[in-house]
Amino acid sequence: MKRSTRFQQRSLFAIGGLGLLIGVAFVLVQFRATLIFTVFLYYASRPIYRKLESVSTPSYFSEYSLPYRRQILAVTTISVFLLPFLLLFTYTLALVVPAVQQFIGQNDLASGYLSAIQSADSGGLPEPIAGLQISDLLDMSPEEIVTILNAPSVRTWIEQTLGTLISSIGVFADVGIQAFLLLSGTYYLLTDGPRLSRWLFDHFDESGVVESYAIAVDDELSSILFGNILNALVTGIIGIVVFSAYNSISPAAVQVPFAPLVGALTGAGSLIPVVGMKIVYFPVGAILTVGAVASGQATAIGYVLLFLILAFVVVDTIPDFLIRPYVSGNRTHVGLLMFAYILGPIVFGAYGIFLGPILLVLVAQFFRTVAPYVATGEPPDQSKLYEY
């Protein structure tokens, strides 16, 4: 009887724990895009953090700041590297989005929002209050002010203006919350991530299988997220700057069409194996050549050659030369990785560019490290985890 009661208690605790896990999973799903992007930022900033950690000895810190060494290094990494990168990435989006809207012929996507803001101009004010000054309002009686405010056109204008302000506040609040979650999540992963994983391995992984799996996944994600995707983002930003600068000095006949969009596509093209971003700027070069010949200008061909040189040297070669040495992972098949980059955004949306490769790595390393243990019952040999 006592054993039965104890079993019932354990079952209730298990059900309660399962309910808690479901609740936590429900909350995390609501912020899935933010969490996925936080993982990317962690892997993108971790090499910088570790580099600072290796060059900063305890002598750099006072006896009061030494216990907070990890926190100081994490804040330095986020301030010096992560925040400028996020600001540059946001500015890049501000350039790319209008180019995409222009490309697909939807230049008026934000016209409703802009018209609501522009209605604050005196020309957009309703008739009862158009041209009124503050001094005029002060000279009015309360009854006259109430009469003006009760006018249908004024009430409609007030409702639209308040709706626009409330929407703007909601947008800025949401952006602020997301930014706080991104930065704080990256901070805690940098400072406490290794200790948390070590605690989990020591208490819940007697066989060592989970640790082997986590090490393999971590190493490959570090390669993919820091190497490949960061290379694509940096290349896209450089492409936008270079192509926009080229357009500022080149004749109209040989200007790059939708330069910010082409620059962003160049960065995305770097994810494609073998051909890389040449799949983008070679066709653009061909289009510019046709435009140069059609224009009949003798110097136009020179500008096309300048475009190809800038694309090959500044956009293609230099970022690849600087970032590729950090890419050490080749265990994930490049063909599968390419499909993960393509299918991820299609299935999951914008954050799928990160989630697709993460899921691929999780599945591939599961079959590499955990599946043999399930089949044979023998823990994986750590020395053979990274053999090709």
Side-chain angles (χ1 to χ4, degrees):
M1 184 67 180
K2 184 176 181 181
R3 180 176 299 178
S4 176
T5 303
R6 185 174 299 175
F7 177 78
Q8 292 177 354
Q9 291 178 344
R10 292 169 57 193
S11 300
L12 290 175
F13 284 133
I15 294 174
L18 181 61
L20 292 175
L21 290 177
I22 293 175
V24 172
F26 176 79
V27 173
L28 295 180
V29 167
Q30 309 306 312
F31 296 92
R32 55 190 179 277
T34 304
L35 293 175
I36 295 300
F37 198 56
T38 300
V39 172
F40 163 71
L41 292 180
Y42 165 67
Y43 278 104
S45 58
R46 190 175 69 174
I48 309 297
Y49 173 82
R50 288 182 173 177
K51 186 66 175 179
L52 293 176
E53 194 175 32
S54 64
V55 300
S56 62
T57 60
S59 60
Y60 283 87
F61 300 90
S62 66
E63 58 177 327
Y64 300 104
S65 62
L66 185 58
Y68 307 101
R69 179 169 177 259
R70 288 192 302 271
Q71 290 87 335
I72 295 174
L73 293 178
V75 171
T76 303
T77 302
I78 292 174
S79 303
V80 174
F81 168 74
L82 207 54
L83 284 178
F85 173 76
L86 288 176
L87 291 175
L88 187 58
F89 180 70
T90 303
Y91 176 71
T92 303
L93 287 180
L95 294 177
V96 172
V97 170
V100 173
Q101 294 177 359
Q102 184 181 3
F103 176 75
I104 63 179
Q106 295 183 2
N107 297 329
D108 57 343
L109 290 178
S111 60
Y113 183 78
L114 292 177
S115 63
I117 296 178
Q118 291 170 353
S119 66
D121 188 11
S122 60
L125 294 176
E127 183 63 29
I129 59 175
L132 286 179
Q133 304 296 326
I134 296 179
S135 58
D136 298 331
L137 293 175
L138 294 177
D139 294 336
M140 290 182 181
S141 65
E143 292 78 10
E144 291 175 326
I145 295 177
V146 172
T147 301
I148 292 176
L149 294 178
N150 286 332
S153 58
V154 175
R155 296 184 63 178
T156 301
W157 177 81
I158 292 175
E159 291 174 358
Q160 292 177 347
T161 304
L162 288 178
T164 302
L165 292 176
I166 293 174
S167 299
S168 302
I169 293 173
V171 170
F172 285 116
D174 183 66
V175 171
I177 292 174
Q178 301 295 337
F180 172 77
L181 291 176
L182 285 174
L183 296 179
S184 60
T186 305
Y187 169 82
Y188 283 111
L189 284 176
L190 289 174
T191 57
D192 297 326
R195 289 191 297 176
L196 176 60
S197 58
R198 184 73 267 161
W199 179 84
L200 292 174
F201 296 149
D202 291 341
H203 288 80
F204 303 101
D205 186 32
E206 295 181 0
S207 64
V209 177
V210 177
E211 182 176 5
S212 301
Y213 175 67
I215 291 174
V217 168
D218 178 77
D219 184 72
E220 193 65 7
L221 284 181
S222 179
S223 164
I224 292 174
L225 295 182
F226 174 71
N228 296 336
I229 296 183
L230 186 62
N231 178 71
L233 292 177
V234 172
T235 301
I237 293 172
I238 294 175
I240 291 171
V241 174
V242 170
F243 296 156
S244 299
Y246 166 82
N247 277 359
S248 67
I249 63 173
S250 61
V254 290
Q255 287 190 351
V256 179
F258 311 106
L261 178 59
V262 172
L265 291 177
T266 303
S270 67
L271 299 173
I272 301 176
V274 185
V275 294
M277 63 192 73
K278 297 176 182 63
I279 198 174
V280 177
Y281 66 78
F282 273 9
V284 173
I287 294 174
L288 297 184
T289 302
V290 173
V293 173
S295 68
Q297 301 178 20
T299 59
I301 294 295
Y303 281 99
V304 175
L305 293 177
L306 174 62
F307 165 79
L308 293 174
I309 292 173
L310 290 174
F312 178 74
V313 176
V314 181
V315 182
D316 193 345
T317 304
I318 293 179
D320 190 76
F321 176 77
L322 294 177
I323 297 179
R324 288 296 177 185
Y326 295 99
V327 182
S328 58
N330 294 308
R331 287 175 293 281
T332 301
H333 191 276
V334 292
L336 293 177
L337 193 58
M338 181 183 66
F339 280 110
Y341 287 136
I342 296 174
L343 296 178
I346 295 176
V347 176
F348 302 107
Y351 65 92
I353 189 68
F354 309 112
L355 183 56
I358 290 175
L359 290 178
L360 175 62
V361 170
L362 291 174
V363 173
Q365 297 304 329
F366 178 87
F367 283 101
R368 182 178 179 84
T369 59
V370 180
Y373 171 75
V374 175
T376 63
E378 297 181 1
D381 187 354
Q382 295 279 352
S383 63
K384 297 182 179 180
L385 280 179
Y386 306 113
E387 292 183 357
Y388 297 99

